[in-house]
Amino acid sequence: HTTIEFTDDGRIVGSTGCNRYFGGVEIDGSMITMGPLAGTRMACAEALMDQESRFFQAMSRVVSWQIADTGLLYLRDADGISQLRASRTEP
């Protein structure tokens, strides 16, 4: 599973299903700016590496966020198009 966690100290951390990643994040209202994301560089199955690549490409386009009535988090690009959708999980 791919995960996203926003920490209280202004960081984003998670897993792509293959590697762990981390970086800075700044949230101002519905706008979101992520610093460069860095992470581990383990090789995984081709399907997981493809998933990871698509995830990082989508994250690079994200500029805003919204939590829908359903509780889902939508991360959107400059045109308002949803790039990623995430649901809350229990710790």
Side-chain angles (χ1 to χ4, degrees):
H1 296 299
T2 301
T3 64
I4 302 171
E5 180 181 348
F6 299 96
T7 67
D8 292 336
D9 63 347
R11 299 192 50 76
I12 183 171
V13 299
S15 170
T16 64
C18 177
N19 287 291
R20 302 278 309 154
Y21 68 89
F22 50 89
V25 65
E26 190 174 313
I27 298 173
D28 183 12
S30 65
M31 303 308 290
I32 186 169
T33 304
M34 288 177 258
L37 298 178
T40 58
R41 307 285 289 163
M42 296 181 358
C44 298
E46 187 175 338
L48 284 176
M49 296 302 290
D50 181 55
Q51 173 181 299
E52 179 176 273
S53 177
R54 289 183 285 122
F55 173 76
F56 283 129
Q57 288 172 8
M59 289 290 275
S60 73
R61 294 187 292 267
V62 170
V63 299
S64 68
W65 65 277
Q66 174 192 16
I67 297 178
D69 293 340
T70 60
L72 293 176
L73 168 66
Y74 288 90
L75 298 172
R76 302 183 189 279
D77 66 16
D79 294 321
I81 298 169
S82 180
Q83 295 297 305
L84 295 162
R85 180 182 67 207
S87 62
R88 173 172 263 170
T89 60
E90 294 301 317

